[in-house]
Amino acid sequence: QIQLVQSGPELKKPGESVKISCKASGYTFTDYAMHWVKQAPGKGLKWMGWINTYTGKPTYADDFKGRFVFSLEASASTANLQISNLKNEDTATYFCARGQFGDWGQGVMVTVSS
Amino acid sequence: DVVLTQTPSILSATIGQSVSISCRSSQSLLDSDGNTYLYWFLQRPGQSPQRLIYLVSNLGSGVPNRFSGSGSGTDFTLKISGVEAEDLGVYYCMQATHAPPTFGGGTKLELK
């Protein structure tokens, strides 16, 4: 069956960087886009952008341009999200979601605290 | 960006009751390709979102048929015909017709 398995929780200090992974299985990785969605504690869902898993081209929502990078390890069917120069407001759960959002990863909680 | 307004924000229901959630868009969600990219999700406590409905009215894989979606243009509705305990959580609508995709603010379904 289709699975998106994300990496584990992260505790970081302001200014540090973090890299989150999303490993896909059960389908051809390059056939479907991969989206990233942010959920701050107790808040709703916010679309961050997506990456074309065939070409590797990323597209970022306006609020996620600059410190956020989507990348692929296509040979490993893995999509990655890297956040640099972390800020307190980056504290959130980050989800990956496939294609038309039919499958989601379990989410990664990133906590930014000094 | 397209704004999706969900009402109510909190919905109290008893088991077996039928309920509806409204999602109104600030722009028509009918795409030039003829599709309307409106989705409904359920996020149970501590879990990732689960897609219930895609393209306004199509039931997602494995989703019980007590869930149904309807609407067009700017007004959309999710109906649950007979709430069950496993249906409790937060419901979100989402549009992907206009970039960037946007989510509604959510409707929390709780037991009365």
Side-chain angles (χ1 to χ4, degrees):
Chain A
Q1 77 282 20
I2 294 165
Q3 282 192 304
L4 300 177
V5 179
Q6 297 186 243
S7 47
E10 301 273 4
L11 175 59
K12 296 290 185 181
K13 291 179 167 45
E16 294 184 336
S17 296
V18 68
K19 190 173 185 178
I20 297 164
S21 67
C22 171
K23 182 169 177 58
S25 61
Y27 70 98
T28 302
F29 181 70
T30 52
D31 282 353
Y32 295 86
M34 192 69 78
H35 299 268
W36 290 94
V37 176
K38 177 183 179 181
Q39 186 169 41
K43 302 296 186 183
L45 303 168
K46 187 164 188 176
W47 184 78
M48 301 173 66
W50 69 286
I51 186 163
N52 183 318
T53 55
Y54 186 76
T55 65
K57 179 185 175 185
T59 300
Y60 302 97
D62 286 347
D63 286 349
F64 299 97
K65 291 178 179 175
R67 299 187 296 115
F68 300 81
V69 176
F70 307 149
S71 63
L72 301 175
E73 297 170 48
S75 60
S77 299
T78 298
N80 299 307
L81 163 64
Q82 183 161 355
I83 311 172
S84 59
N85 188 20
L86 282 161
K87 304 178 186 304
N88 290 333
E89 54 263 39
D90 296 326
T91 294
T93 298
Y94 294 87
F95 297 98
C96 56
R98 182 186 79 118
Q100 288 199 48
F101 301 87
D103 300 281
W104 293 62
Q106 83 275 20
V108 176
M109 179 69 204
V110 175
T111 303
V112 183
S113 175
S114 54
Chain B
D1 296 0
V2 172
V3 176
L4 298 180
T5 302
Q6 286 185 237
T7 54
S9 55
I10 300 175
L11 186 52
S12 296
T14 57
I15 301 300
Q17 183 179 354
S18 292
V19 298
S20 293
I21 299 170
S22 170
C23 177
R24 289 189 169 171
S25 174
S26 60
Q27 301 179 36
S28 174
L29 300 183
L30 177 62
D31 193 41
S32 56
D33 66 4
N35 289 317
T36 299
Y37 295 93
L38 189 283
Y39 305 82
W40 289 96
F41 299 89
L42 165 60
Q43 187 175 29
R44 299 181 178 94
Q47 296 188 18
S48 50
Q50 173 195 3
R51 190 183 69 181
L52 301 173
I53 301 286
Y54 63 97
L55 299 179
V56 179
S57 59
N58 294 276
L59 210 57
S61 176
V63 176
N65 60 12
R66 61 180 179 275
F67 292 95
S68 61
S70 63
S72 63
T74 60
D75 287 349
F76 303 91
T77 301
L78 175 72
K79 182 177 181 179
I80 310 172
S81 299
V83 169
E84 297 192 6
E86 65 180 20
D87 300 338
L88 303 183
V90 181
Y91 290 80
Y92 295 96
C93 57
M94 188 202 84
Q95 69 80 27
T97 298
H98 304 285
T102 50
F103 291 88
T107 295
K108 184 177 182 180
L109 178 60
E110 58 184 28
L111 275 180
K112 188 182 290 184

